[in-house]
Amino acid sequence: MTASATKTATPTATPTAVRTPVRITVRTAAEDSAESGPESGAKGSAEGDREGGPESSADSGAESGAAPEMDFTITDDGSYAARLARRTGDAWFPERWTLEGPEPYAVELPGNQPEEPGSDVLPMADGRVLIRRSVDGRHAFSLLYPTGPGTGELPLGAVECERLTLLPPVPGGCRAYALEPGAHTTTVWLVTGGAFGPEHVADVPGRCTGGVWLDRTGRMLALDRETGGVTKAVAVDLERGGEVTPLLQIADGSDDRLLLADPDSGLLLVRSDAPGDDRLGWGVLGSRRPIRFPESLRLDDAVLTPFAVQPGQMLMPESCGVALRIASATGSWLGVWRPAGRRLLQLASPEGWLAGAGLWSTEGVLRLPCTTGAVPVGVVDIAPLGGLPLDPRMESPGDGGTEPAQTEVAGQEPCAAQMSPVVCKPVPLQQAPLTSRPQRG
């Protein structure tokens, strides 16, 4: 398992960088709800926790000529995004979206030959796009950028291993990391942002997947580690050679995975089978409060996957908006939830939505990237939190099912991410209420 300094050839073709049309639409929760009728079955309401789902749950863009679903990755600050796009036929190429400014636009970054569908792309804060390609048993990395009529490429080197995946964008966007899972050890690589080329950072015991940043400095990384047939989220300190501390230990034999984390508020979104089946739950980084599994995040015939958390809510995890993709056998649509709202708001997804992609502003505006045959680049802005007012019962200490994750004075137990490593103390499941029923006694 070695890092190779071999460089790939710089593309010689001169493809055209294209600014494509855009669409920006601002919608309120009331407007979306007016277009969404109540649903039966899993999409309907349950005990007042869920509100009307969309009338149509067909996948967005399926009939509009949009490209098939591919990963759409957004930088931590929301300025750039990147994905693999496809022209007519099977020719795949990297595409960078510029999201900041009054008019988002996309720039194509094709090389001298089409990319493989399995390649990964990651946007950087300076506007360049990192690409990982599989080449003869190696994973080669390059930085792509527009150069007038062509595409510039800066080869970074390669890692020789069987499997390697890019981690989500690092806060700040000046570095990028990759994960090499092995049978007994997982290696973390610094792909760009170091001296030059891929650099070995840490070896983590166990087979690790996932990857969530816990702070704004890119030091603390959460991974889902499998040991002895059980998966638990752990925190890895990249500045201490990969020092590992427990992060989630809900029950001894449960699989506890971290899906999202917001460093500002400390809000954590987890998936665990500790309640008896696979459930979504929430907690607070650094808090001694237990993980909660609200009934509003449980649908019988659909899978909920959170993809964005509202930033900037310092010490207020209960008020953070959470965007979720709701997927069933008939399609997917949008869900919006927050701990203090106590219910799941289901909305019809915009036409051409790149399902599972989006970001929040600190003011509570949810930005959803969309693409259709008529409008290749579009961003739909919605303000859904007006449909999820804060429930005053969240302030009642006797309501165990949705008790605030942190009611202590900020000076006693801060829930915002620290500059120094934060270690969450494991909480046994028997101390964690699983439903919204009041506690007795």
Side-chain angles (χ1 to χ4, degrees):
M1 198 169 52
T2 59
S4 171
T6 304
K7 299 181 180 179
T8 57
T10 302
T12 57
T14 57
T16 302
V18 180
R19 290 177 68 115
T20 51
V22 301
R23 176 186 63 186
I24 306 178
T25 306
V26 179
R27 299 163 66 109
T28 65
E31 291 170 335
D32 281 304
S33 297
E35 296 179 5
S36 304
E39 286 271 315
S40 61
K43 304 171 203 172
S45 62
E47 299 179 3
D49 285 329
R50 296 187 284 270
E51 286 205 339
E55 292 181 358
S56 173
S57 59
D59 276 323
S60 302
E63 299 178 359
S64 57
E69 183 177 314
M70 296 292 287
D71 286 342
F72 185 91
T73 306
I74 305 173
T75 56
D76 179 71
D77 64 358
S79 57
Y80 294 101
R83 67 167 184 154
L84 281 184
R86 188 170 71 172
R87 292 195 182 101
T88 303
D90 294 325
W92 295 92
F93 62 91
E95 183 179 74
R96 186 199 71 189
W97 288 38
T98 301
L99 301 176
E100 62 181 356
E103 184 178 289
Y105 63 92
V107 176
E108 298 177 1
L109 297 171
N112 58 351
Q113 63 184 16
E115 304 291 347
E116 295 293 328
S119 300
D120 294 329
V121 292
L122 194 77
M124 306 297 294
D126 60 5
R128 294 183 293 181
V129 173
L130 176 69
I131 185 168
R132 179 203 62 83
R133 303 181 178 107
S134 295
V135 181
D136 297 329
R138 298 179 303 146
H139 297 267
F141 298 92
S142 293
L143 286 170
L144 308 178
Y145 52 93
T147 56
T151 300
E153 180 168 348
L154 175 64
L156 300 175
V159 174
E160 297 182 359
C161 62
E162 180 178 353
R163 183 181 177 188
L164 189 140
T165 58
L166 291 176
L167 287 169
V170 180
C174 297
R175 292 169 289 156
Y177 291 86
L179 203 63
E180 178 195 344
H184 305 290
T185 303
T186 298
T187 301
V188 180
W189 293 90
L190 175 63
V191 174
T192 184
F196 183 80
E199 299 178 9
H200 176 274
V201 175
D203 288 323
V204 181
R207 183 176 180 83
C208 298
T209 55
V212 176
W213 296 104
L214 298 175
D215 63 354
R216 291 291 183 199
T217 67
R219 173 179 178 175
M220 300 301 296
L221 173 67
L223 296 174
D224 298 328
R225 180 174 69 172
E226 180 185 353
T227 55
V230 176
T231 300
K232 301 286 185 183
V234 296
V236 181
D237 190 338
L238 298 183
E239 291 189 5
R240 292 189 175 182
E243 181 179 279
V244 178
T245 54
L247 186 63
L248 294 176
Q249 291 185 352
I250 302 176
D252 291 339
S254 62
D255 292 327
D256 309 322
R257 295 177 171 87
L258 181 63
L259 304 182
L260 282 180
D262 175 58
D264 296 332
S265 65
L267 180 65
L268 304 178
L269 277 301
V270 309
R271 190 182 300 278
S272 174
D273 59 3
D277 56 354
D278 212 33
R279 297 275 297 276
L280 280 183
W282 72 280
V284 178
L285 184 65
S287 173
R288 295 180 178 87
R289 299 285 182 175
I291 299 293
R292 272 134 296 205
F293 298 89
E295 286 295 317
S296 56
L297 293 181
R298 185 180 190 181
L299 297 178
D300 293 333
D301 300 325
V303 176
L304 281 68
T305 304
F307 62 86
V309 178
Q310 181 185 2
Q313 309 305 298
M314 293 295 183
L315 303 177
M316 297 190 298
E318 304 90 352
S319 64
C320 287
V322 178
L324 306 100
R325 177 186 179 182
I326 306 175
S328 72
T330 57
S332 63
W333 59 98
L334 178 66
V336 177
W337 175 85
R338 59 177 169 180
R342 300 173 60 97
R343 51 199 171 105
L344 176 67
L345 185 63
Q346 301 185 50
L347 305 172
S349 54
E351 181 184 6
W353 177 41
L354 298 173
L359 72 155
W360 288 93
S361 71
T362 56
E363 295 78 16
V365 175
L366 179 59
R367 311 201 72 199
L368 302 174
C370 303
T371 179
T372 67
V375 183
V377 178
V379 176
V380 175
D381 291 351
I382 65 173
L385 294 182
L388 289 171
L390 302 183
D391 193 315
R393 289 177 294 175
M394 288 295 293
E395 299 177 0
S396 171
D399 188 354
T402 52
E403 181 181 359
Q406 193 166 28
T407 57
E408 292 81 355
V409 177
Q412 295 176 347
E413 186 181 325
C415 64
Q418 307 293 305
M419 295 300 292
S420 58
V422 176
V423 179
C424 292
K425 295 185 177 181
V427 178
L429 175 63
Q430 55 265 31
Q431 299 178 22
L434 304 183
T435 68
S436 59
R437 62 179 180 272
Q439 290 181 330
R440 296 181 179 179

